[in-house]
Amino acid sequence: MFEWKVEDMKLMNETLLGGTYFPCERTTSREDKIKFVDSLQNGELNYILKLIDKFNEDNKSMPKNQWGDVKTVSLKAWIKKNDERHIFNNTYYYGQYNILGTSRSIQVMGKGSYDTYEDLVDECFHRQLKECCRMEKQYFDEHDEYTILRKSVEKNIENYGTTFGVNIIISSDGLQIGDFDNERKPSLEELKALNAKYEQLEKFIENLTKETHIVY
């Protein structure tokens, strides 16, 4: 099966094909794609695929309306009988289901408006990889020393309103030192030094607070 561990952070460091596709989307078998998605989605993909296959078979003998679709009353009855997990909509958008953000219908084959792939397995694998990549980035932010220190400085600037005379810019590019014409990322040692200053400031405020005895 396709192997993935968030701590390996392999997806976030890959070069996407065409800026969209992970290389493993081209090399992973359909069976392994299903197994991988199911391992993270409580077996939901395989469950949906089996119900779609059963519906396509039962559909041959089910009563149709004037447009060739299964009559609503029959579709509702079929869903109620076969969908033990209650994944398929049975109240308004009859037969519609959602998995990993893709919304499709058991009666209409083909991709949704915001899908990348026509095939449901390919689409789910693609979306699962994107979610895994997001998890890797979150893991990185929570464990990378530089990122932790940078966020700490940003939070301290917000809390205390001082940068100790350092010209700091916080923009969509992150924390920068300098001005908009000449800026750079702070080094790890510079972030450590700034955080040490904020720790000193916090202790100073604590001491001043202890010395204050105004009551009401």
Side-chain angles (χ1 to χ4, degrees):
M1 187 178 76
F2 177 79
E3 299 291 339
W4 173 80
K5 293 181 180 179
V6 65
E7 60 268 26
D8 291 340
M9 295 180 285
K10 66 178 183 179
L11 294 173
M12 61 180 283
N13 295 314
E14 285 190 343
T15 301
L16 299 183
L17 303 176
T20 303
Y21 308 97
F22 293 95
C24 55
E25 295 181 55
R26 298 285 194 263
T27 58
T28 305
S29 69
R30 180 181 178 82
E31 180 182 2
D32 281 352
K33 288 178 180 179
I34 296 172
K35 288 181 179 179
F36 177 66
V37 172
D38 276 351
S39 70
L40 297 173
Q41 299 299 325
N42 195 30
E44 192 168 297
L45 178 55
N46 191 49
Y47 175 83
I48 290 174
L49 291 171
K50 287 183 176 180
L51 274 190
I52 290 175
D53 287 342
K54 179 171 176 52
F55 176 78
N56 289 337
E57 183 62 33
D58 294 346
N59 181 27
K60 299 174 184 178
S61 58
M62 295 171 71
K64 309 293 193 303
N65 60 23
Q66 58 185 340
W67 297 285
D69 296 325
V70 174
K71 288 186 176 181
T72 300
V73 65
S74 298
L75 179 58
K76 290 179 63 177
W78 186 93
I79 293 172
K80 183 177 181 180
K81 177 182 178 181
N82 294 282
D83 184 14
E84 297 177 354
R85 292 196 184 187
H86 307 292
I87 290 176
F88 291 83
N89 192 302
N90 200 24
T91 56
Y92 186 74
Y93 296 103
Y94 304 109
Q96 189 173 21
Y97 61 92
N98 294 275
I99 177 172
L100 284 164
T102 181
S103 180
R104 301 194 179 192
S105 171
I106 197 170
Q107 288 208 87
V108 182
M109 297 297 103
K111 66 179 184 179
S113 302
Y114 301 99
D115 291 350
T116 301
Y117 289 98
E118 192 82 16
D119 182 75
L120 178 63
V121 173
D122 290 339
E123 182 64 27
C124 286
F125 185 63
H126 175 69
R127 286 173 177 260
Q128 185 64 72
L129 290 176
K130 290 175 67 176
E131 173 61 16
C132 288
C133 186
R134 184 197 65 76
M135 293 166 63
E136 288 180 2
K137 291 176 180 178
Q138 180 178 339
Y139 180 89
F140 175 82
D141 287 345
E142 293 173 351
H143 292 79
D144 177 65
E145 182 182 15
Y146 184 92
T147 302
I148 293 172
L149 288 171
R150 175 182 58 78
K151 288 186 174 182
S152 178
V153 169
E154 292 174 354
K155 183 177 180 180
N156 282 321
I157 291 173
E158 181 181 349
N159 289 340
Y160 299 111
T162 181
T163 59
F164 303 105
V166 181
N167 194 19
I168 290 179
I169 302 168
I170 300 178
S171 65
S172 57
D173 295 326
L175 189 148
Q176 305 281 331
I177 291 178
D179 53 43
F180 289 104
D181 295 322
N182 184 22
E183 61 187 48
R184 64 173 176 81
K185 291 184 177 182
S187 67
L188 181 64
E189 293 305 316
E190 288 171 334
L191 290 175
K192 288 181 179 179
L194 283 170
N195 271 298
K197 292 292 183 184
Y198 287 115
E199 289 176 2
Q200 293 178 43
L201 178 58
E202 184 175 355
K203 290 180 181 179
F204 181 66
I205 293 174
E206 287 178 359
N207 291 331
L208 290 177
T209 301
K210 291 177 182 179
E211 296 172 2
T212 304
H213 303 289
I214 300 174
V215 295
Y216 63 91

